[in-house]
Amino acid sequence: EKGEKWQLALGLLAPIVITDSTPSVITYSAVISACVKGAQWQRAVHVLASVRRRGVSQPNLIMYNAAISACGRSEQWQRARDLLVAVQSTYLIPNVITCNALISACRAGGQWQRALELLAAALKADLLPNIITYNAVIISCEQSEEWQPA
């Protein structure tokens, strides 16, 4: 039931957009989050793109992080990486949540080397990894049977 709320969220967003009303950042964030929970990565990315395209408001880091998580949960690590590039092309600064979502996307996609690279890049950028970060990297290595780097 929880995973099906994305349909309701998109259904509620449509009339707002059709009537040329301006959905708030909170509205868009809620719709993207519903898509994450419903494993609808394509829809999450589409909603994020529509925010950018409409130009009414700028996507915030919460929206990007949610879309990255949606991609990661569906093993779309390349799409998650593309969203990081999009974040870096804005005024937004990736945070530990962004890092965790990307590392989890790499883990889901079997990309243990990229997970390690992301951890190294986070440390180099003075981003403080947390237990979630380290666990995601360790699990990524474990799943790929690359226990030595972990």
Side-chain angles (χ1 to χ4, degrees):
E1 184 176 301
K2 258 187 177 180
E4 295 173 12
K5 297 209 174 166
W6 64 269
Q7 294 167 323
L8 176 61
L10 284 174
L12 292 171
L13 179 63
I16 297 171
V17 172
I18 290 170
T19 61
D20 268 344
S21 296
T22 306
S24 70
V25 170
I26 294 169
T27 303
Y28 279 119
S29 294
V31 172
I32 292 170
S33 292
C35 291
V36 172
K37 291 175 184 158
Q40 299 294 314
W41 72 269
Q42 292 153 317
R43 286 185 169 86
V45 170
H46 177 75
V47 171
L48 180 64
S50 72
V51 174
R52 292 191 313 230
R53 189 174 48 252
R54 292 190 78 204
V56 256
S57 62
Q58 290 294 318
N60 61 25
L61 193 58
I62 294 168
M63 290 178 188
Y64 277 106
N65 288 346
I68 290 168
S69 291
C71 292
R73 289 181 181 196
S74 298
E75 300 179 9
Q76 298 294 318
W77 66 271
Q78 299 99 329
R79 296 285 184 165
R81 184 197 57 214
D82 293 345
L83 288 171
L84 173 64
V85 171
V87 168
Q88 292 170 329
S89 72
T90 69
Y91 65 93
L92 300 171
I93 299 170
N95 61 17
V96 71
I97 297 168
T98 313
C99 180
N100 292 346
L102 281 161
I103 289 173
S104 293
C106 290
R107 178 193 49 76
Q111 299 294 313
W112 65 272
Q113 302 98 328
R114 294 193 195 286
L116 286 170
E117 290 168 8
L118 286 166
L119 176 60
L123 292 168
K124 187 176 179 182
D126 293 327
L127 190 66
L128 295 175
N130 59 23
I131 191 74
I132 296 168
T133 316
Y134 289 113
N135 280 344
V137 171
I138 290 168
I139 292 168
S140 179
C141 292
E142 176 194 26
Q143 287 175 340
S144 300
E145 297 182 5
E146 295 292 338
W147 55 270
Q148 287 178 332

